[in-house]
Amino acid sequence: MRAIQVSEHGGPEVLVPAEVDDPAIGPNQLLVETEAAGVNYIDTYIRTGTYPQPVPYIPGSEGTGVVAATGSEVTDFTVGDRVAWAAAPGSYAEKVAVDAAVAIAVPGGVDAAVAASALLQGMTAHYLIESVYKPEPGETVLVHAGAGGVGLLLTQLATARGVRVVTTVSTDAKEQLSREAGAHEVLRYGDDLAQRVRDLTGGQGVAAVYDGVGAATFEASLASLRIRGMLALFGAASGQVPPFDLQRLNPAGSLFVTRPTLVHYTRDRSELLWRAGDVMNAIAEGTLRLRIGARYPLADAAQAHRDLQARKTTGSIVLMP
């Protein structure tokens, strides 16, 4: 089968198209013919070696497709079912071995590209607003990268519950997308960002900051919080945040900082089904809109990574085998 293979850590150029053997499946796995694979920032962290991963390997962990074979112990799925997943290594490929425990049935009518990129970003937005910090109606929150995949979904989920959302973006086009998702105020990045956030909140600051950008925004995020505010640092698109003195949180307002990750918010099958079900059903019903910003052929995975890291994309991006 065709796949993308990484033989050494490095830049996007290490994403090389290759012919490899079909994956073998175990008794509790599905063999899935891939319709689309999601491309996410975590893929770039693994590619560069920021997150350790032995080489060679096939990148990607998210996708959707049709079940071609089932392991002997699988009872919940049959050949021909459409499934999606957010935790199956080797997803940049024509076929993927997916643990049945992480597979989710795709509702009818959901486009392959949407299904392929709904779970990782959608469940991230879900756990951020449902479990990390659940804002009350009328509270104000700050969402960085408001036109990104998680940013657009998180904005919609927050505004649907009556939360005032302030976002950050880098261009006029991204501002328009963020406003269409429901953002009440859209700001540009800059040295005075925290002051502009405080001006919008009567000097108090926001209840929470959802920050997937990392190093470039961390200081502004801290300075934008109200007393006992929560900073959820869920990504590092601009680089990892360096170590800092926890004592700083005291005079800044007894602040909270957390570095969450999806795996800890989908600890078992029931939690996974709850989050994935909420996201997939909302997409199928049209109450949650997922924007596909770009689709690339599988062989162009390197270009997809370049565009993602250069922040040339909006919404979600996918590879189409």
Side-chain angles (χ1 to χ4, degrees), residues 140 142 144 193-198 201 204-209 217-227 255:
T140 302
L142 174 62
H144 285 304
L193 175 60
Q195 185 57 54
R196 284 179 285 149
V197 171
R198 291 196 172 274
T201 55
Q204 292 189 357
V206 295
V209 179
T217 52
F218 181 73
E219 292 297 333
S221 295
L222 282 178
S224 297
L225 288 168
R226 72 183 186 190
I227 291 175
L255 303 180

Side-chain angles (χ1 to χ4, degrees), residues 42 51 86-87 120 123-124 126-128 131-132 233-234 258-272 274-275:
I42 192 171
Y51 291 0
L120 197 151
M123 290 194 296
T124 296
H126 189 278
Y127 83 68
L128 286 171
S131 303
V132 173
L233 181 69
F234 66 93
T258 182
R259 182 61 174 90
T261 187
L262 179 60
V263 67
H264 296 146
Y265 286 86
T266 50
R267 289 178 299 174
D268 52 38
R269 181 71 175 168
S270 63
E271 189 171 32
L272 173 67
W274 167 46
R275 298 196 193 282

Side-chain angles (χ1 to χ4, degrees), residues 1-315:
M1 68 173 185
R2 292 182 304 132
I4 299 299
Q5 194 165 57
V6 174
S7 298
E8 60 179 332
H9 294 116
E13 69 279 357
V14 303
L15 298 168
V16 179
E19 288 286 337
V20 300
D21 293 337
D22 289 358
I25 60 171
N28 295 299
Q29 289 186 307
L30 312 172
L31 179 64
V32 182
E33 293 182 349
T34 310
E35 294 180 303
V39 178
N40 297 284
Y41 266 104
I42 192 171
D43 302 342
T44 70
Y45 307 154
I46 296 170
R47 187 200 74 225
T48 60
T50 302
Y51 291 0
Q53 168 69 47
V55 294
Y57 73 95
I58 297 172
S61 62
E62 181 182 42
T64 192
V66 178
V67 176
T70 62
S72 59
E73 300 297 321
V74 174
T75 59
D76 293 341
F77 300 98
T78 61
V79 172
D81 287 346
R82 286 187 77 216
V83 296
W85 60 89
S91 292
Y92 287 13
E94 290 182 312
K95 296 178 183 178
V96 184
V98 180
D99 290 345
V102 303
I104 300 296
V106 178
V110 176
D111 176 75
V114 171
S117 54
L119 290 184
L120 197 151
Q121 294 181 352
M123 290 194 296
T124 296
H126 189 278
Y127 83 68
L128 286 171
I129 201 165
E130 290 288 342
S131 303
V132 173
Y133 184 82
K134 190 171 184 177
E136 298 292 332
E139 286 190 320
T140 302
V141 301
L142 174 62
V143 177
H144 285 304
V150 174
L152 290 171
L153 297 173
L154 187 54
T155 298
Q156 293 175 67
L157 294 176
T159 56
R161 65 175 12 150
V163 175
R164 183 187 183 208
V165 179
V166 179
T167 67
T168 55
V169 300
S170 58
T171 68
D172 290 345
K174 291 182 178 182
E175 176 177 348
Q176 181 63 31
L177 291 174
S178 185
R179 290 192 182 279
E180 289 173 357
H184 296 80
E185 303 287 346
V186 182
L187 304 176
R188 297 293 190 274
Y189 302 101
D191 294 338
D192 61 343
L193 175 60
Q195 185 57 54
R196 284 179 285 149
V197 171
R198 291 196 172 274
D199 289 344
L200 292 172
T201 55
Q204 292 189 357
V206 295
V209 179
Y210 302 104
D211 188 343
V213 176
T217 52
F218 181 73
E219 292 297 333
S221 295
L222 282 178
S224 297
L225 288 168
R226 72 183 186 190
I227 291 175
R228 301 205 309 255
M230 168 68 79
L231 169 52
L233 181 69
F234 66 93
S238 66
Q240 301 296 322
V241 174
F244 78 105
D245 183 3
L246 290 175
Q247 179 58 28
R248 293 178 54 196
L249 302 177
N250 182 330
S254 297
L255 303 180
F256 295 86
V257 177
T258 182
R259 182 61 174 90
T261 187
L262 179 60
V263 67
H264 296 146
Y265 286 86
T266 50
R267 289 178 299 174
D268 52 38
R269 181 71 175 168
S270 63
E271 189 171 32
L272 173 67
L273 291 175
W274 167 46
R275 298 196 193 282
D278 279 3
V279 170
M280 282 293 193
N281 290 336
I283 289 172
E285 294 164 2
T287 57
L288 184 64
R289 302 181 308 279
L290 190 149
R291 173 184 171 80
I292 303 299
R295 306 177 192 222
Y296 299 80
L298 179 63
D300 289 347
Q303 189 59 48
H305 276 223
R306 290 188 189 96
D307 292 347
L308 177 64
Q309 291 187 280
R311 302 187 192 180
K312 293 181 178 179
T313 62
T314 57

